[in-house]
């Protein structure tokens, strides 16, 4: 049994209508197979996540939001991911509303007119051409990896930038009824994220309903001074940490009682198994500690009115990549020492291994981040576009 209380012991508080975090996690444990099989998190469960405040955790206070300090939001996502990585991944995009803070204030007021709980999903790549019009852009094309799109209230697609964006791409916002969702998500990990393709056919989007990803916010609140792209990397990395925690909990519980069909000693009686479990615990806890330590440090700086430095941003990016890799490595090693049982496609460690692989493979968290962070820490420009 996974022990999500290890992640955040104080999180079992009412989330609205008497619902607690534990209530929602228990429901998730019952429904995660459903989400995996249908390949997306159902919209009614997105509504449950909204009750936990996850989809107002990055909404500006002036529009009724209840912004969370990044570390607090990350801990919640990690805890969900212990139960189901796909749902943690989808819930993590509650943080993506920090991007929308770059919209004109009047647009944001309209966006949050019906309330602060807004589920946003985007298929930003590949960036597709969009012909300028007198009032905006004519959008037409197909975009990939729109995680959580089946439960989204608003969708975004990537279009080119121009001189006014400093070369950075824009995101154009659309209503769900303006977008066709093509359900072609067939993967070995994070099967339930619903990271489907978005298709838009000849829709004019007003300029004020577009924003520069990572652009300067029009709302001055502390959360929007925290490094935006680094935060986007953190929320994905912490999903991997939750998956690794679930794998360790499983390996420790099963190892204490499992004996192979050959009559060999149970796993916990084998020195190599005990040593690997201990090493995995040390590795995961160490990577998590640095990850959260940096998040608290940078948050304290921006709350004090300081701008996050290039070095702080680089360390956030590095710690995120390191956590994602460590988490994946932990699950991989547990798979290796668990005998023949995990060769079955539905074995829990096999499923967790696929889920743990996904964050590490993400462009925000891949090997290039080590090179870019190392360059910045030695006073050089980052070697990867969009590092900050």
């Amino acid at each position: 049994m996974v022990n999500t209380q290890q992640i955040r012991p104080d999180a079992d508080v009412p989330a609205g209508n008497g619902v607690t975090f534990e209530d929602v996690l228990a429901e998730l444990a019952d429904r995660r197979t459903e989400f995996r099989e249908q390949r997306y998190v159902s919209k009614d469960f997105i509504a449950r996540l909204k009750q936990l405040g996850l989809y107002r955790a990055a909404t500006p206070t002036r529009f009724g939001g209840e912004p969370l300090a990044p570390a607090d939001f990350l801990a919640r996502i990690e805890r969900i991911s212990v139960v189901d990585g796909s749902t943690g991944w989808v819930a993590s995009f509650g943080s993506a509303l920090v991007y929308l803070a770059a919209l004109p204030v009047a647009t944001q007021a309209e966006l949050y007119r019906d309330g602060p709980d807004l589920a946003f999903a985007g298929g930003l790549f590949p960036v597709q051409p969009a012909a300028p019009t007198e009032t905006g852009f004519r959008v037409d094309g197909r975009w990939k990896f729109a995680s959580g799109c089946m439960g989204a209230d608003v969708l975004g697609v990537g279009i080119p930038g121009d001189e006014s964006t400093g070369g950075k791409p824009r995101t154009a916002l659309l209503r769900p009824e303006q977008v066709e969702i093509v359900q072609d998500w067939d993967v070995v990990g994070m099967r339930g994220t619903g990271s489907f393709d978005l298709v838009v056919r000849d829709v004019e989007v007003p300029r004020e309903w577009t924003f520069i990803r990572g652009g300067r916010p029009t709302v001055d609140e502390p959360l929007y001074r925290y490094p935006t792209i680094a935060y986007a990397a953190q929320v994905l990395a912490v999903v991997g940490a939750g998956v690794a925690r679930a794998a360790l909990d499983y390996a420790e519980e099963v190892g204490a009682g499992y004996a192979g069909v050959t009559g060999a000693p149970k796993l916990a009686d084998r020195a190599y198994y005990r040593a690997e479990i201990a090493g995995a615990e040390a590795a995961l806890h160490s990577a998590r500690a640095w990850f959260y330590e940096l998040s608290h440090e940078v948050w304290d700086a921006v709350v004090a009115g300081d701008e996050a430095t290039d070095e702080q941003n680089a360390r956030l990016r590095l710690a995120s990549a390191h956590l994602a890799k460590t988490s994946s490595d932990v699950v991989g090693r547990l798979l290796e020492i668990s005998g023949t049982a995990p060769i079955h496609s539905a074995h829990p460690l096999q499923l967790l291994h696929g889920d743990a692989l996904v964050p590490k493979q993400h462009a925000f968290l891949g090997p290039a981040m080590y090179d870019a962070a190392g360059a910045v820490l030695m006073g050089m420009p980052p070697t990867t576009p969009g590092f900050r």
Side-chain angles (χ1 to χ4, degrees):
M1 178 179 294
V2 294
N3 181 9
T4 63
Q5 293 293 346
Q6 289 192 42
I7 304 300
R8 188 172 173 80
D10 59 335
D12 192 25
V13 294
N17 300 319
V19 176
T20 69
F21 214 108
E22 284 300 325
D23 293 332
V24 177
L25 293 183
E27 181 180 344
L28 176 57
D30 289 337
R31 299 187 65 185
R32 57 191 172 189
T33 300
E34 168 197 339
F35 299 158
R36 184 186 309 120
E37 290 177 349
Q38 72 184 14
R39 297 178 298 155
Y40 64 90
V41 178
S42 298
K43 192 161 188 173
D44 71 294
F45 196 79
I46 299 295
R48 295 284 275 167
L49 296 175
K50 286 181 178 180
Q51 289 181 302
L52 299 180
L54 295 174
Y55 290 97
R56 63 173 61 191
T59 300
T61 302
R62 66 185 296 174
F63 299 120
E66 298 175 4
L68 284 174
D72 291 339
F73 182 80
L74 293 165
R76 286 161 170 77
I77 297 305
E78 185 178 8
R79 194 169 179 211
I80 293 168
S81 301
V82 175
V83 181
D84 181 51
S86 291
T87 304
W89 188 271
V90 171
S92 79
F93 290 102
S95 67
L97 299 186
V98 296
Y99 290 139
L100 305 189
L103 287 164
V105 172
T107 302
Q108 294 184 57
E110 176 66 18
L111 194 63
Y112 297 115
R113 181 181 60 183
D114 296 328
D117 299 297
L118 193 74
F120 168 58
L124 304 182
F125 297 101
V127 172
Q128 300 285 358
T133 67
E134 288 187 8
T135 58
F137 302 91
R138 190 159 295 280
V139 178
D140 188 281
R142 182 167 179 160
W143 293 261
K144 304 194 74 65
F145 299 116
S147 300
C149 60
M150 296 293 286
D153 302 306
V154 62
L155 296 164
V157 296
I159 62 175
D162 50 33
E163 291 182 2
S164 68
T165 71
K168 295 180 180 179
R170 290 182 180 272
T171 298
L173 297 184
L174 301 111
R175 299 184 302 277
E177 60 267 26
Q178 295 176 297
V179 181
E180 175 190 355
I181 296 174
V182 181
Q183 298 186 29
D184 62 349
W185 186 239
D186 185 11
V187 290
V188 298
M190 300 291 181
R191 284 185 58 83
T193 61
S195 302
F196 301 135
D197 288 8
L198 303 181
V199 177
V200 180
R201 296 301 181 205
D202 197 31
V203 175
E204 186 172 11
V205 178
R207 179 176 291 269
E208 62 269 22
W209 285 89
T210 70
F211 64 88
I212 306 166
R213 193 179 71 158
R216 184 172 294 278
T218 57
V219 175
D220 185 19
E221 295 181 15
L223 185 58
Y224 313 111
R225 297 196 294 269
Y226 191 86
T228 304
I229 305 300
Y231 192 23
Q234 286 186 292
V235 300
L236 302 181
V238 84
V239 174
V243 171
R245 179 69 262 160
L248 270 164
D249 289 346
Y250 177 85
E252 290 166 9
E253 180 180 8
V254 171
Y258 174 78
V261 296
T262 64
K266 64 183 180 182
L267 292 172
D269 289 335
R270 306 176 195 183
Y272 71 84
Y273 192 85
R274 296 192 300 269
E276 286 291 349
I277 290 289
E281 286 282 7
L284 182 61
H285 278 279
S286 298
R288 287 184 68 256
W290 187 42
F291 175 86
Y292 280 106
E293 175 189 325
L294 287 170
S295 188
H296 285 296
E297 174 193 316
V298 177
W299 177 245
D300 288 346
V302 299
V303 168
D306 299 327
E307 183 176 350
T309 66
D310 289 341
E311 180 178 300
Q312 286 175 321
N313 179 75
R315 291 188 188 279
L316 287 175
R317 299 298 305 268
L318 179 59
S320 298
H322 179 62
L323 181 59
K325 183 179 186 305
T326 299
S327 300
S328 181
D329 290 349
V330 161
V331 183
R333 289 298 296 140
L334 295 176
L335 198 71
E336 290 178 19
I337 63 172
S338 295
T340 57
I343 68 173
H344 297 282
S345 59
H347 190 276
L349 284 180
Q350 194 65 254
L351 297 173
L352 292 166
H353 187 240
D355 285 351
L357 181 67
V358 175
K360 183 182 72 169
Q361 301 297 109
H362 194 279
F364 280 177
L365 299 167
M369 295 305 104
Y370 288 84
D371 178 38
V376 173
L377 294 177
M378 291 185 286
M380 300 166 60
T383 55
T384 300
F387 190 70
R388 174 153 191 177

